[in-house]
Amino acid sequence: MEDTPTVRALLEVEEDASELLLERVPGTDALLWPLVRWPLARALSEEGLNVTSVPRKRPSRPKALVQHALGMVPTPVSSDRLKEAVEHLFIVSGTTRVETPGGVGNWLTDSYATALDERAAVVQDAPLRYGGPRAERPLVARTWSFSRALRRVDQRTRLEPLAAKELSQFDSIMADMLAPFSRQLSERLRSRVLTQVVYRVNRLPHVAREFRGLLDRTHPRRIYMQTAAYGDRSNLIRIAHERGIEVAELQHGWIGASHAAYNFGAVMRRPELLACLPDTLLTFGEYWGEEIRFPGRAVPVGKPSLEEAARAAAPYEKRPPRVLVVSSIMERERLISVTQLLRRQLPDHWQVVFRPHPSERATVNELYAALLDDGIELDVRSEVNSSISNSKAVIGMVSTVLYEALAFGVHIGVVETDLADHYSSAKMFPDRISDDSSLALFANRIAFGDAPHSTPEANVWQSESVDSFQSFARS
């Protein structure tokens, strides 16, 4: 698949290998470019590809105070209490959560951490409840929360922001770094990039202090860090590398030639910047590492939660007449229109369910009010596998769910957009929906046709995922 103008713009600058990209954050040892890279990529995508950011819905003041209090209260699951050596340390956000009767799980890490048992610990940014109902506690006992440390970071950042002299130096470096992108960035987006980077830079020394404390207490041999390649944790990776600790990233979603976080130019192979990247990407399968320009290695390990769900799924003919439409936050109005038309073209006994992107859940009722008015059900469950396994078809534009659907033997329709060829190739997904006529044909095929004959390409999803991971963990 092809890359995008955003990736090409970043690679062009990085291939020049300018010394400017080796600049440090004033007053620190941290490299600035890795902190700039992802906010810049998001802005370039929004300007050139009509990829809009979903505004976050801020919690009410009472709810925010409760969240702050929960983060500050010392509990047995606070990472401050983790004071034992662990060979394998998982560092995650806590956003890949799965709610079960037995507790709150994490589909990204649970199977792997459980397999490693006492040799592993999971530390997540999000707060953890302790002492309440079993369903609200961590499913994996060796899970701790970094939230109390992050609250201390918030307090210190307010008290000790970047000094005026260093802020002036920072402004000068940022002006030079963003200069090559002046034609692609509006003033609004340039300002947003600066705001996001200033936020990261102000927190940098305080996050580093807490992270060093965690490493002092745990002495891991290897860290498995969520979104390690995105840059926001780049200074933590550098600190880990200084201590001789290897860093791997567990793939959490779609990656490919058009994903800016996983494609790097020549300058990122310079030792200073290479130290800010994970050594290894642990991918869902060989397919995911084939087209990216990543200076480390890619090792396929699979996705345990998907593997288990696909194995347990009912045969196609025993599933309910149900179509799952998945959002990817792109061209929202087009996808709403496709969903509404699909509802009209399918027989009445068929159910059309719309699954918003995780970033849309907080504002889903506002974003998709038109679908609710048409009686279309919204799927906001945390775990997508059960939604796919209870469907006979999946429709989307740009989503990892389309690839996950390959493992369940369902009909898969891709809504054609300017981005479709970048994210979901016609070779792997031949059923394309380009207009009302092609949608009608797809609707007729799933309603009155046979089960799909396509089978997942073997290299998309690595089999025996836990065994594959353990093999890597032993290396």
Side-chain angles (χ1 to χ4, degrees), residues 229-382:
Y230 280 61
D232 55 324
R233 300 182 192 262
S234 57
N235 192 47
L236 307 186
I237 298 171
R238 183 188 65 81
I239 291 170
H241 282 151
E242 283 182 347
R243 297 182 178 215
I245 303 169
E246 184 183 346
V247 179
E249 176 181 342
L250 289 166
Q251 182 181 352
H252 71 282
W254 187 94
I255 63 175
S258 55
H259 197 312
Y262 298 95
N263 290 275
F264 301 93
V267 75
M268 296 301 292
R269 297 180 183 274
R270 294 278 293 267
E272 303 96 316
L273 288 165
L274 193 61
C276 299
L277 291 175
D279 306 284
T280 308
L281 289 179
L282 299 178
T283 64
F284 295 146
E286 289 183 9
Y287 169 83
W288 304 97
E290 290 174 348
E291 295 185 343
I292 57 175
R293 304 172 187 86
F294 176 69
R297 59 176 176 157
V299 176
V301 294
K303 185 177 181 182
S305 59
L306 177 81
E307 190 174 6
E308 294 165 10
R311 190 182 296 123
Y316 177 86
E317 59 275 8
K318 292 187 177 181
R319 297 179 196 171
R322 185 176 186 266
V323 181
L324 180 68
V325 183
V326 293
S327 169
S328 54
I329 75 172
M330 301 174 187
E331 300 195 37
R332 189 175 293 121
E333 294 303 318
R334 171 110 188 268
L335 196 57
I336 289 173
S337 176
V338 166
T339 306
Q340 291 171 321
L341 183 57
L342 179 68
R343 173 61 281 169
R344 293 195 293 271
Q345 290 178 336
L346 284 171
D348 290 343
H349 70 282
W350 274 74
Q351 184 184 22
V352 178
V353 178
F354 187 90
R355 183 178 178 85
H357 188 271
S359 65
E360 297 175 321
R361 287 176 189 159
T363 53
V364 65
N365 290 336
E366 294 94 328
L367 293 173
Y368 296 107
L371 296 182
L372 293 172
D373 291 342
D374 283 357
I376 293 169
E377 180 185 336
L378 295 179
D379 175 17
V380 292
R381 285 177 289 187
S382 59

Side-chain angles (χ1 to χ4, degrees), residues 17 45 90 95 100 194:
S45 294
F90 294 83
T95 55
T100 75
L194 286 171

Side-chain angles (χ1 to χ4, degrees), residues 371-417:
L371 296 182
L372 293 172
D373 291 342
D374 283 357
I376 293 169
E377 180 185 336
L378 295 179
D379 175 17
V380 292
R381 285 177 289 187
S382 59
E383 219 290 307
V384 70
N385 292 329
S386 59
S387 298
I388 303 173
S389 64
N390 284 301
S391 302
K392 288 193 170 183
V394 174
I395 293 178
M397 289 181 177
V398 179
S399 174
T400 318
V401 178
L402 298 175
Y403 290 86
E404 290 171 314
L406 288 169
F408 290 87
V410 298
H411 291 280
I412 303 172
V414 174
V415 180
E416 285 278 28
T417 69

